[in-house]
Amino acid sequence: LGRVAVVSLTAGEIEVFLDEPTTIGTNELASLSVTSVKLAHRTVEAKTTDYTVVAATDNAKCFTTVGASGTVTFSLPAATTGQEYFFRVGAAQELRIDPNGTETISLPSNGVPGAAGKYLTANADGETVHILCTKTGEWAVFGFTGTWTAEA
């Protein structure tokens, strides 16, 4: 695309004007209209004791265990499509991510769903995992650092 020359906002619509016409496929564009833009920041919350994640208010949050002096278990809500959470081990203590009931969490190392109802765990400061529900009842890992293992 050409370089952006002007951006205007009118009646909830963003219009981007390019400094030169640009061809996409067989269409030549001098401007682009955007009807929906999502701007967001991620909330980060430290938990030092067990916590039950609330679907309605915690979606897309990043949870850490900064300051924890023992194991912290995050109990997930029922996995419904679109929910996502980020976790970071913030102290050299075990962080557990426990799925709801018999739901599963895919193993970060190979993407294979863990056993029903079994948690993921890590315990080294700085380890991270991003989980997302793309199919009801299942959590998939979309990125991780460190070593995450499944409950035996």
Side-chain angles (χ1 to χ4, degrees), residues 9-33:
L9 175 62
T10 352
E13 186 170 302
I14 297 172
E15 191 163 12
V16 179
F17 296 92
L18 306 174
D19 67 348
E20 59 187 53
T22 300
T23 302
I24 297 178
T26 59
N27 301 311
E28 187 173 280
L29 305 174
S31 68
L32 302 171
S33 289

Side-chain angles (χ1 to χ4, degrees), residues 2-150:
R3 293 177 302 171
V4 172
V6 178
V7 175
S8 71
L9 175 62
T10 352
E13 186 170 302
I14 297 172
E15 191 163 12
V16 179
F17 296 92
L18 306 174
D19 67 348
E20 59 187 53
T22 300
T23 302
I24 297 178
T26 59
N27 301 311
E28 187 173 280
L29 305 174
S31 68
L32 302 171
S33 289
V34 180
T35 56
S36 175
V37 174
K38 181 179 179 183
L39 300 174
H41 71 281
R42 188 145 343 275
T43 301
V44 178
E45 290 185 9
K47 303 294 182 186
T48 57
T49 59
D50 294 350
Y51 180 74
T52 300
V53 178
V54 181
T57 56
D58 289 335
N59 192 41
K61 284 186 180 176
C62 177
F63 294 102
T64 76
T65 56
V66 171
S69 58
T71 298
V72 178
T73 300
F74 291 89
S75 298
L76 295 175
T80 57
T81 304
Q83 289 179 304
E84 70 176 327
Y85 305 101
F86 298 79
F87 297 91
R88 181 189 185 277
V89 179
Q93 301 291 335
E94 185 178 14
L95 182 156
R96 294 178 179 174
I97 305 168
D98 195 10
N100 186 286
T102 58
E103 294 179 341
T104 61
I105 303 175
S106 293
L107 299 173
S109 58
N110 60 17
V112 174
K118 301 294 184 176
Y119 59 77
L120 282 183
T121 183
N123 63 4
D125 190 3
E127 293 178 307
T128 63
V129 68
H130 170 204
I131 62 171
L132 173 67
C133 177
T134 58
K135 180 180 177 185
T136 299
E138 297 177 7
W139 295 99
V141 172
F142 276 77
F144 75 102
T145 59
T147 303
W148 290 82
T149 57

